[in-house]
Amino acid sequence: MSFEAIVIGGNFAGLSAAMQLARALRRVLLVDAGAPRNRYSPASHGFLGQDGQSPAAIMREGKRQLALYPTVTIRDGEVVQARADGGEFVIGIRGGGEERVARIVLATGIRDTLPEIAGLPDRWGHSVLHCPYCHGYEVSGGRLGVLANHPLSAHSAMLIPDWGETTYFTQALFEPDEEQLVRLTARGVRIERSPVVELLGDSPRLEAVRLTDGRIVPLDAVFVAPKTAMASPLAEQLGCVFDDGPSGPVIRTGDNKETTVKGVFAAGDAASAMHNATLASASGVLAGVHCHQSLAMQSAG
């Protein structure tokens, strides 16, 4: 067995997990498919020490630092198969054969499904945003909108006025209940019930949205929580249990980030209902530390 552990995914969570294993002198393989969820965003914000850096630049530097550790191997590629075998795991890498490992850290991330609205996808990560804590400061003072896409959309709309004048578009899908309506009104949120059908302006900038009744509403940015799905089938292949998150399935883990399959750990957006660069990195640290402790305790008998 060439490697003791494999970390699948080279974004913030995966790099953080691999770093802990590397510093514990464990032989670790990191495999990165090179398609992180945050690749559409020009900058990462609210990440201490990295505020304003592009996600790609942060990951490049992370890999550079990780590669300095002699027990680490970094490989570009996609892990397409994973199965348990005799107390270990066999990993299949597309075009790269198989590897046998004792532990797995899944940092495989999630895939976003955006509402089917004309002009929305090409603005994703720029003027169409998912997280006010990640991007709200950069659009503060502007005319902001919230597109209802799930039952918690009204709650999100209550937060956005701290960054700017806010309109909540129900999309004729998620009408606020009486209590929500009182709170939205108290926060100064305008309620618009005619659905948005098109985003307007010189993309990726946003100037306005067109409603189904033909009206044009000026806006500088809109927030929307996309529906999410696993970006990789590996957790399902391994038999991990999932929980229902607010936007899609989440890999179930304990406080030590171990999944319901012994020896398989998970970190990052795939294993958390809250999606944030700092939280992803922190969960990767936990997964890496507990993965190491699992290996150490196994050798102790």
Side-chain angles (χ1 to χ4, degrees), residues 191-247:
I191 310 295
E192 178 55 69
R193 294 175 174 83
S194 182
V196 173
V197 294
E198 185 180 7
L199 275 63
L200 306 174
D202 186 12
S203 177
R205 292 179 60 251
L206 176 66
E207 295 177 6
V209 295
R210 188 190 312 277
L211 307 183
T212 191
D213 62 11
R215 286 182 293 132
I216 303 295
V217 178
L219 284 182
D220 299 300
V222 296
F223 290 88
V224 60
K227 295 178 181 178
T228 60
M230 292 291 114
S232 165
L234 298 178
E236 184 176 2
Q237 289 178 11
L238 289 163
C240 298
V241 172
F242 295 85
D243 291 322
D244 293 327
S247 61

Side-chain angles (χ1 to χ4, degrees), residues 151-208:
L152 297 180
S153 297
H155 171 75
S156 299
M158 295 176 200
L159 302 176
I160 302 301
D162 280 3
W163 288 275
E165 176 186 325
T166 303
T167 301
Y168 174 59
F169 297 89
T170 70
Q171 296 299 94
L173 295 172
F174 297 102
E175 177 69 22
D177 60 30
E178 185 174 339
E179 181 181 353
Q180 290 171 333
L181 191 58
V182 169
R183 292 185 175 185
L184 287 166
T185 301
R187 292 284 284 158
V189 177
R190 175 173 172 255
I191 310 295
E192 178 55 69
R193 294 175 174 83
S194 182
V196 173
V197 294
E198 185 180 7
L199 275 63
L200 306 174
D202 186 12
S203 177
R205 292 179 60 251
L206 176 66
E207 295 177 6

